[in-house]
Amino acid sequence: MAGPVLLALVWHMHQPSYRDALTGRTLLPWTRLHATKDYADMVTTLRRHPRVHATFNVTPVLLDQLEAIGSGDIDTFLELARKPAEAVTLEEQRFLARHFFSVNEARMLDPYPRYRELKARSAQTFGPRGPQEPRLAPEEIRDLQTWFHLAWVDPEYRGEEPIRSLFAKGRGFTEEEKRALLDWGVALAARVVGVYREAANAGQIELTTSAYHHPILPLLESTESPREVSASIPLPHPPFRAPEDAILHIRRARETHAKRFGAAPAGTWPPEGAVSQEALTLLREAGFAWCASDETVLARALGRPEPGGDGWAGALYRPYSVETRAGGLSMVFRDRGLSDRIGFTYASWDPERAAEDFVARVLECGARARQDGVADPIVTVILDGENCWESYPEDGHAFLEALYRRLAGEAGLSAVTVGEALARRAPTETIRHVPVGSWIAPDLSVWVGHAEKNRAWSEIRRARERFQEAAQSRALPVERLDRAHDEILVAEASDWFWWYGDDHQSAHKDEFDVLFRSHLICAYNLLGLPAPAAVRRTLRGAGPEAEPNGERLPFVAPSLDGRDTHFYEWRNAELYDAASDQGADHRTSGIIRRILFGLNERDLFLRVDGVGSAAKPGSAIVLRFLLPRAIEARAELSGASRGPLRWIPASDADPGEFAAGALTEIRVPLAVLGAGPKTVLRWSIALEESGEVAETLPRTGELTATTLDADFATRNWSAT
């Protein structure tokens, strides 16, 4: 008698690191918000159906962020949400109006009258025909701060406090109620790892992992790897090659997984299902027993141009052993059609009908596989476990409950983990070679091939070459080298390349570009090197072979308020990181952590992190200019949050100004320096305390900048 069809359902959970390496700020809130909507409740819902087993693939970079959130990491959205409504500035109100409706409107906004009202009010206030002095009332700001986060709460939690009371109230929230909601979300993020650990210990789920920062493993081996399947795709030249980084991503993923969950993972979903023969060898050498990829990869491994055709069910719904240098690696391959039905189709269906349709299709797949000679079919379904639910009513809860009920009650089907499936049905077929491929593009063109994507790979190559040179010279402490390498590893994540180019759209492409480049700039700083101009500027719209040391355009237009207002105002600035000036003597950083500087046509702007209004009595920031003239400017911080600069020798020109808060921002008029267009500026910065110099940066040499052309604004009407 034939056994049941084995359904191996894999939920993949991943978010990239949203930490800006230069400022230390977490720019985007998606890890925290998905924690209130997807990560824990996906497991909780499953556990109500103990006969249904599933695999959860959780990436290390996601788990790192969840633990950081629980330990107090605050993203820019949370920081603004915590701010009392009466203290929210006009600029911050614009940020709320732009970003605090980042939800699926049909599912997460339209059902809530007050949230709809706030969207209309924000559009009216900050739209092109809004009032001259646009303002939201404090109660509107507070309700918007609250509703954005309420909309991201999963229905699983709407019966508990403070969620239940907030939904019942609907509007007119207090600061205390808002804080309770935000604190609740942080606490939930802190519990996610424990929820997964408990379910794994109970035996209902199998936990697996992906390479640490979610890189495309074949592209780390070589950006030439797509040549195996495409002769025409344009690729970076010279190519990027770092197979040792692939090994490090894989090894660290296994080590941290074992530390968190008590055992090394048996299996892996390689990032984006991207594999090659060499990547599979690295996975097997690292100790993985099984791996999963897409059915298009299987088709090409079997010599078929595409999935489908005679005998395809018998080929797809069975496991394989792939021959590698390190021995056999078991592999299963996802059914793309079934996976996409959950990911993209069933959201608009009645939940019960969708669950019935899915189960019927799985049984049909098993029947066709048996006709092709497979006695115990394994149907593998793999998809994101977090992103599709925003398109479902009630975040997919009704569908998941209906699906799990039907799976538990269907005698002809058994929902198992991948490990359980392989234990019941060991591979009997062998594949000698697996070509390059992924779940979405056999030639990996989602992550390489476009001019922007290729530029990004070229910039990683340049940074990594400098790292290798520094490592070989042994002139820097090992700890500094390791930190620089870590930043390069973050830059290798697949996510940045997904958003470069024109094949995917996002309202946050600027942020992704800034995040990617911040890690490379930080790597250069840690190596004691100036970051090339190519990574100081956006890579969006860039050609594939721009000169790495081409024209610098450090154009900035900050608001002088002594605060890290938002990343846009300093995103084009030059950075001087104090860590890069420590040298090999192992000295620790001083009071000043970093200096950012840039210009417009009239002024030099500086931002000094680490020194602000809380500076010691008698403190002053002193700018000592050598070119174009020897002159000194002082920002006297004692007892002042803002004021004019004092010049030595004195000048009748506009003195400029400073603003001190959490940090200090300074405006230096170019006229007082006697600087015209294309003039070289050279200066250093000193921190004085009680008349004594406490610190001077740079420790050797000076900071430099060249003023802009007189027609810069005309030529660069939209500076990027």
Side-chain angles (χ1 to χ4, degrees):
M1 180 178 178
V5 176
L6 303 180
L7 171 65
L9 182 59
V10 181
W11 300 115
H12 174 59
M13 305 295 197
H14 166 66
Q15 291 289 330
S17 173
Y18 294 116
R19 176 186 63 87
D20 185 325
L22 303 183
T23 65
R25 299 183 76 190
T26 298
L27 297 187
L28 295 172
W30 311 128
T31 301
R32 176 175 58 86
L33 294 178
H34 277 290
T36 65
K37 198 181 72 65
D38 300 301
Y39 297 132
D41 62 273
M42 282 290 291
V43 176
T44 303
T45 302
L46 179 72
R47 296 207 67 184
R48 285 195 285 269
H49 307 272
R51 293 188 59 189
V52 180
H53 291 197
T55 302
F56 283 79
N57 190 82
V58 286
T59 65
V61 64
L62 167 64
L63 298 175
D64 284 350
Q65 292 178 88
L66 291 170
E67 290 175 344
I69 293 166
S71 298
D73 181 71
I74 298 177
D75 59 77
T76 55
F77 285 61
L78 180 58
E79 182 180 24
L80 181 52
R82 288 194 184 282
K83 191 170 186 178
E86 289 78 6
V88 173
T89 67
L90 179 58
E91 184 177 19
E92 289 168 339
Q93 289 185 41
R94 290 194 179 98
F95 186 94
L96 290 172
R98 179 184 177 190
H99 293 295
F100 273 47
F101 299 100
S102 296
V103 297
N104 181 296
E105 289 198 20
R107 303 301 190 189
M108 301 169 69
L109 187 145
D110 288 348
Y112 309 116
R114 178 55 168 167
Y115 204 13
R116 292 199 312 270
E117 177 185 328
L118 291 168
K119 183 172 177 62
R121 179 80 174 90
S122 296
Q124 178 188 43
T125 304
F126 294 105
R129 298 184 180 180
Q132 292 292 318
E133 298 273 339
R135 291 276 178 183
L136 296 175
E139 58 270 22
E140 294 173 322
I141 295 170
R142 191 177 300 111
D143 281 3
L144 179 53
Q145 291 168 316
T146 304
W147 261 112
F148 174 59
H149 288 85
L150 267 183
W152 277 90
V153 173
D154 192 86
E156 179 74 26
Y157 308 113
R158 293 183 184 176
E160 61 183 68
E161 295 295 351
I163 311 305
R164 178 173 56 194
S165 294
L166 291 173
F167 270 102
K169 188 174 185 181
R171 63 190 303 141
F173 304 117
T174 67
E175 288 292 332
E176 291 74 16
E177 289 169 332
K178 180 185 73 176
R179 282 197 300 271
L181 169 64
L182 300 177
D183 291 345
W184 173 88
V186 169
L188 180 58
R191 296 200 304 269
V192 170
V193 171
V195 169
Y196 281 91
R197 187 185 298 114
E198 291 173 7
N201 290 341
Q204 191 175 357
I205 70 172
E206 178 179 8
L207 289 175
T208 59
T209 192
S210 297
Y212 203 100
H213 283 289
H214 208 261
I216 303 301
L217 294 175
L219 294 178
L220 294 192
E221 298 160 32
S222 173
T223 49
E224 289 288 302
S225 62
R227 287 277 180 255
E228 183 179 10
V229 295
S230 173
S232 60
I233 182 172
L235 295 172
H237 183 77
F240 173 83
R241 292 188 176 95
E244 58 271 41
D245 284 5
I247 294 170
L248 194 55
H249 280 285
I250 294 167
R251 190 188 76 212
R252 287 184 178 178
R254 286 181 61 80
E255 290 172 350
T256 57
H257 188 100
K259 184 176 180 180
R260 282 188 173 105
F261 300 113
T268 181
W269 167 252
E272 307 291 0
V275 295
S276 65
Q277 186 64 27
E278 183 60 26
L280 295 175
T281 297
L282 297 182
L283 293 170
R284 187 68 190 95
E285 288 176 341
F288 284 105
W290 65 261
C291 171
S293 190
D294 189 70
E295 64 176 31
T296 57
V297 173
L298 173 64
R300 290 171 181 263
L302 297 178
R304 296 171 177 248
E306 297 292 341
D310 293 343
W312 179 243
L316 177 58
Y317 304 124
R318 67 164 73 228
Y320 292 84
S321 177
V322 176
E323 291 185 358
T324 76
R325 293 192 308 271
L329 176 69
S330 296
M331 283 197 74
V332 294
F333 297 90
R334 76 192 278 265
D335 183 306
R336 178 177 289 193
L338 284 174
S339 302
D340 286 353
R341 292 189 80 79
I342 296 177
F344 305 110
T345 302
Y346 289 144
S348 61
W349 287 36
D350 172 78
E352 292 290 344
R353 187 166 73 90
E356 180 183 14
D357 180 81
F358 181 83
V359 171
R361 288 175 182 273
V362 172
L363 292 171
E364 181 184 356
C365 291
R368 286 190 282 112
R370 288 194 174 104
Q371 290 174 0
D372 289 341
V374 179
D376 300 298
I378 300 175
V379 178
T380 304
V381 173
I382 306 174
L383 70 154
D384 276 353
E386 57 196 347
N387 291 316
C388 68
W389 309 120
E390 291 144 44
S391 300
Y392 279 72
E394 294 298 296
D395 206 46
H397 258 244
F399 167 74
L400 286 171
E401 290 285 358
L403 174 63
Y404 292 152
R405 280 197 308 271
R406 287 184 179 273
L407 292 176
E410 176 54 61
L413 189 155
S414 181
V416 295
T417 70
V418 175
E420 290 170 337
L422 292 171
R424 296 192 198 182
R425 175 71 163 83
T428 57
E429 301 289 326
T430 298
I431 297 176
R432 298 187 183 278
H433 180 83
V434 174
V436 168
S438 74
W439 76 269
I440 190 172
D443 62 0
L444 309 182
S445 55
V446 173
W447 305 279
V448 73
H450 186 281
E452 290 180 9
K453 301 175 195 287
N454 290 352
R455 271 289 308 283
W457 282 111
S458 294
E459 296 309 331
I460 295 181
R461 175 183 55 78
R462 292 184 178 110
R464 203 176 186 289
E465 287 171 351
R466 303 294 83 76
F467 161 73
Q468 289 173 312
E469 292 166 1
Q472 292 168 2
S473 73
R474 301 185 179 180
L476 292 174
V478 172
E479 187 269 345
R480 284 272 300 280
L481 286 170
D482 288 345
R483 287 172 58 197
H485 195 189
D486 286 344
E487 296 297 343
I488 293 171
L489 294 175
V490 180
E492 291 170 349
S494 69
D495 307 83
W496 323 124
F497 303 94
W498 178 281
W499 296 114
Y500 279 129
D502 51 13
D503 42 357
H504 297 105
Q505 299 305 314
S506 168
H508 298 285
K509 279 200 167 190
D510 282 342
E511 288 91 334
F512 286 115
D513 172 58
V514 165
L515 288 168
F516 170 76
R517 291 184 294 108
S518 79
H519 294 291
L520 294 184
I521 295 170
C522 189
Y524 280 109
N525 290 333
L526 289 164
L527 296 173
L529 300 171
V535 296
R536 296 286 188 189
R537 299 186 60 194
T538 179
L539 297 184
R540 295 187 61 198
E545 296 298 333
E547 285 295 324
N549 295 303
E551 181 187 11
R552 292 173 182 263
L553 293 174
F555 179 86
V556 295
S559 300
L560 264 64
D561 54 14
R563 297 185 302 114
D564 187 4
T565 308
H566 56 77
F567 87 93
Y568 290 103
E569 65 174 353
W570 288 99
R571 69 173 179 165
N572 293 321
E574 300 285 356
L575 169 77
Y576 172 80
D577 193 328
S580 68
D581 202 13
Q582 293 178 36
D585 59 4
H586 295 246
R587 286 181 294 177
T588 57
S589 297
I591 300 169
I592 298 175
R593 297 196 305 273
R594 61 180 67 86
I595 301 163
L596 289 88
F597 57 94
L599 306 102
N600 62 18
E601 297 90 337
R602 299 173 303 280
D603 302 290
L604 168 69
F605 295 97
L606 299 101
R607 169 178 146 176
V608 182
D609 288 10
V611 181
S613 58
K616 293 181 180 179
S619 294
I621 293 175
V622 183
L623 310 180
R624 294 173 176 150
F625 288 91
L626 298 179
L627 291 176
R629 59 179 294 206
I631 191 169
E632 183 177 292
R634 298 177 61 85
E636 306 286 354
L637 300 180
S638 297
S641 60
R642 61 176 54 248
L645 299 178
R646 184 163 66 86
W647 290 90
I648 304 172
S651 171
D652 293 332
D654 172 12
E657 60 190 315
F658 74 91
L663 47 88
T664 300
E665 294 174 306
I666 302 171
R667 179 179 66 85
V668 178
L670 297 177
V672 76
L673 301 176
K678 304 299 287 184
T679 300
V680 174
L681 311 178
R682 298 179 71 88
W683 77 97
S684 63
I685 293 183
L687 173 64
E688 288 188 1
E689 294 180 344
S690 301
E692 300 290 332
V693 176
E695 185 174 7
T696 299
L697 294 174
R699 292 192 175 99
T700 59
E702 296 85 30
L703 301 173
T704 65
T706 301
T707 60
L708 308 176
D709 287 338
D711 62 347
F712 174 83
T714 302
R715 290 186 296 104
N716 297 272
W717 62 271
S718 179
T720 58

